């Protein structure tokens, strides 16, 4: 017999919202989930920012014009949306999320804090997971190490990151991103585990 899991009919189709400070590694952890857990449905956001090298339309993001983004927002096609780092708009197309949940697939959104707060309002039953760096210095190293932003952009992102770190208490669970694959496995476990009876689940932190 398989290990005990949720009884048939009880398995929640769980929506996990992953947020955390800039450059904490949300994208890399999400990529690790995508690679190892094809059973998990991962939302593809719409954005007005330009693609980075290697990013594909419809895979990493839906790259849309400002006009198209505004049309989607006005038409109610976005579950949430936000201007991130004061530069570009990012939003979660609503239809695909609803379809994935209706189909019983564990689903995840990787979005910024403003977006997570909006989803908290509209879908409070989702599980809100905060991805945290092992330390502030490590976060700065990761941000600088990525080298894809200008100095001005980096400073803006660090400022956002400071505010975002302070938001940890708003989340149900914290995962410390010490190692990408370990963090990805913790996340998938949360998606497939039965919901905790209380609102606040324990912090996953091996300190
Ligand atoms: P990047 O431009 O580096 O891919 O992403 C910048 C930030 O936008 C990240 O913090 C990411 O979580 C956030 N983001 C990506 N997609 C969405 C979305 O659909 N909604 C919101 N609110 N934030 C998003």
């Amino acid at each position: 017999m398989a290990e005990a899991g949720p009884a048939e009919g009880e398995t929640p189709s769980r929506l996990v919202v992953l947020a955390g400070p800039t450059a904490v590694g949300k994208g890399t952890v999400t990529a690790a989930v995508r690679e190892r857990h094809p059973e998990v449905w991962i939302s593809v956001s719409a954005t007005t920012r330009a693609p980075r090298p290697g990013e594909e339309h419809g895979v990493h993001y839906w790259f849309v014009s400002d006009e198209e983004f505004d049309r989607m927002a006005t038409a109610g096609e976005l579950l949430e949306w936000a201007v991130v780092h004061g530069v570009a708009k990012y939003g979660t197309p609503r239809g695909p999320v609803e379809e994935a949940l209706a189909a019983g697939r564990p689903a995840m959104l990787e979005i910024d804090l403003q977006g997570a707060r909006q989803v908290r309002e509209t879908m409070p039953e989702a599980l809100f997971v905060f991805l945290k760096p092992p330390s502030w210095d490590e976060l700065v190293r990761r941000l600088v190490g990525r080298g894809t932003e200008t100095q001005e952009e980096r400073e803006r992102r660090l400022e956002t990151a400071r505010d975002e770190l302070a938001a940890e208490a708003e989340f149900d669970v914290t995962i410390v991103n010490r190692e990408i694959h370990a963090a990805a496995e913790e996340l998938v476990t949360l998606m497939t585990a039965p919901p905790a009876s209380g609102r606040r689940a324990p912090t996953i932190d091996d300190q």
Side-chain angles (χ1 to χ4, degrees), residues 26 45 49 52 61 80-82 84-85 90-92 110-112 115 146 157:
K26 279 174 293 176
S45 299
R49 86 151 160 75
R52 295 192 186 117
Y61 283 104
E80 58 72 37
W81 70 272
V84 181
H85 309 306
Y90 294 80
T92 304
E110 184 251 289
I111 59 178
D112 89 320
R146 193 157 71 175
R157 283 174 180 229

Side-chain angles (χ1 to χ4, degrees), residues 141-158:
R141 253 196 304 280
R142 287 178 194 180
L143 190 56
V144 173
R146 193 157 71 175
T148 48
E149 293 86 20
T150 64
Q151 177 68 20
E152 195 192 343
E153 254 170 29
R154 255 199 317 266
E155 274 163 21
R156 202 163 36 219
R157 283 174 180 229
L158 277 176

Side-chain angles (χ1 to χ4, degrees), residues 18-23 26-27 43-47 49-50 52 55 60-61 63 69 78 80-85 88-93 109-116 118-119 146 148-149 157 160 164:
L18 180 68
T22 298
K26 279 174 293 176
S43 169
V44 179
S45 299
T47 183
R49 86 151 160 75
R52 295 192 186 117
E55 285 184 335
H60 301 94
Y61 283 104
F63 296 99
F69 193 98
L78 300 177
E80 58 72 37
W81 70 272
V83 176
V84 181
H85 309 306
K89 294 172 187 165
Y90 294 80
T92 304
L109 314 180
E110 184 251 289
I111 59 178
D112 89 320
L113 185 61
Q114 307 167 76
Q118 290 172 46
V119 181
R146 193 157 71 175
T148 48
E149 293 86 20
R157 283 174 180 229
T160 309
E164 287 176 333

Side-chain angles (χ1 to χ4, degrees), residues 28-49:
T28 345
V29 169
T30 304
V33 172
R34 185 181 283 122
E35 191 190 322
R36 292 188 175 197
H37 292 278
E39 75 279 14
V40 174
W41 180 84
I42 302 171
S43 169
V44 179
S45 299
T47 183
T48 59
R49 86 151 160 75

